[in-house]
């Protein structure tokens, strides 16, 4: 477990990790020591979903619990065609403490923090925690024209069996992002 606020109150502390290709898919940087059981889980969850990249799915979100850290992982994966092997990806993961979730009214504020590495050269940007400005997390997404029918369907599917993943067909990876973040935000 780790702190969620800093005394200077810069906002919520979010730890992060970066996975990508370096003689195989691996953890490249992290701002927190990750237990071995979670290293294996995060490695699997940060790799390419499927065997090829379909048009419209060059990047996508993944969310899953990190039980031994008492946290959740929110990750964005990007296809990395600049890498030497086909099928390489970059995955930027934020580690959100469960204790911080009720403090975040608008979890979509995390979306603005995802950063895709620029090419093969890495900095240590992913080796430090980031601060999620609490003013941004308190703002409802007023301009968001949510599809309430989709949101209701997602909520019913999620709360029916929270241990099972929700799988839906979509024309692109961004089609349901607003609904997914709205579901995650209301959960706490």
């Amino acid at each position: 477990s780790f702190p969620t606020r800093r005394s200077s109150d810069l906002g919520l502390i979010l730890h992060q990790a970066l996975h990508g290709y370096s003689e195989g898919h691996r953890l490249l940087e992290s701002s927190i020591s990750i237990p071995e059981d979670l290293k294996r889980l995060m490695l699997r969850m940060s790799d390419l979903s499927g065997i090829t990249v379909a048009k419209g799915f060059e990047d996508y979100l993944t969310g899953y619990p990190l039980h031994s850290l008492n946290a959740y992982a929110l990750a964005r994966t990007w296809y990395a065609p600049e890498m030497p092997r086909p099928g390489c990806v970059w995955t930027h993961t934020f580690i959100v403490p469960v204790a911080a979730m009720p403090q975040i009214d608008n979890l979509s504020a995390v979306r603005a923090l995802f950063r895709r590495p620029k090419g093969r050269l890495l900095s240590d940007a992913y080796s430090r925690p980031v601060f999620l400005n609490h003013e941004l997390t308190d703002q409802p997404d007023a301009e968001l024209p949510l599809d309430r029918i989709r949101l209701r369907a997602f909520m019913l599917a999620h709360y029916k069996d929270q241990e099972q993943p929700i799988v839906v067909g979509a024309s692109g990876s961004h089609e349901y992002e607003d609904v997914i973040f709205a579901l995650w935000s209301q959960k706490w």
Side-chain angles (χ1 to χ4, degrees):
S1 188
F2 44 89
T4 58
R5 285 203 180 261
R6 190 175 247 196
S7 59
S8 63
D9 200 26
L10 293 172
L12 295 172
I13 296 172
L14 298 183
H15 285 281
Q16 58 181 334
L18 178 70
H19 286 82
Y21 183 82
S22 178
E23 298 179 21
H25 184 72
R26 66 184 70 230
L27 175 65
L28 300 173
E29 294 183 32
S30 180
S31 65
I32 188 172
S33 178
I34 300 171
E36 285 303 315
D37 63 321
L38 295 183
K39 279 185 183 177
R40 288 186 300 277
L41 172 66
M42 291 178 76
L43 185 65
R44 200 171 56 249
M45 298 299 284
S46 67
D47 207 351
L48 183 64
S49 176
I51 57 172
T52 62
V53 177
K55 185 172 170 48
F57 292 89
E58 294 83 9
D59 69 291
Y60 55 88
L61 292 170
T62 307
Y64 53 97
L66 299 170
H67 294 295
S68 63
L69 281 179
N70 199 25
Y72 285 92
L74 299 176
R76 181 169 298 281
T77 299
W78 298 270
Y79 180 58
E82 72 275 15
M83 299 306 284
R85 291 179 46 125
C88 289
V89 295
W90 299 110
T91 298
H92 185 191
T93 304
F94 286 105
I95 300 167
V96 184
V98 169
M101 296 302 276
Q103 300 172 44
I104 306 173
D105 290 334
N106 181 0
L107 196 57
S108 68
V110 174
R111 280 197 279 192
L113 299 176
F114 286 117
R115 297 288 180 257
R116 185 190 192 285
K118 292 180 170 64
R120 297 181 194 184
L121 298 175
L122 299 177
S123 65
D124 65 347
Y126 305 93
S127 298
R128 297 182 302 271
V130 297
F131 298 95
L132 181 60
N133 184 322
H134 59 82
E135 292 172 4
L136 294 176
T137 66
D138 291 339
Q139 299 296 319
D141 228 340
E143 72 278 356
L144 184 65
L146 271 182
D147 179 339
R148 301 213 184 274
I149 295 171
R150 285 183 177 176
L151 179 58
R152 183 176 185 275
F154 267 78
M155 290 175 75
L156 289 171
H158 173 68
Y159 288 113
K160 179 180 177 187
D161 187 352
Q162 294 183 41
E163 297 300 316
Q164 293 298 313
I166 299 171
V167 179
V168 295
S171 60
S173 63
H174 297 271
E175 186 175 340
Y176 290 92
E177 274 191 17
D178 292 337
V179 173
I180 291 168
F181 274 99
L183 173 65
W184 280 343
S185 295
Q186 66 76 43
K187 193 170 173 64
W188 288 269

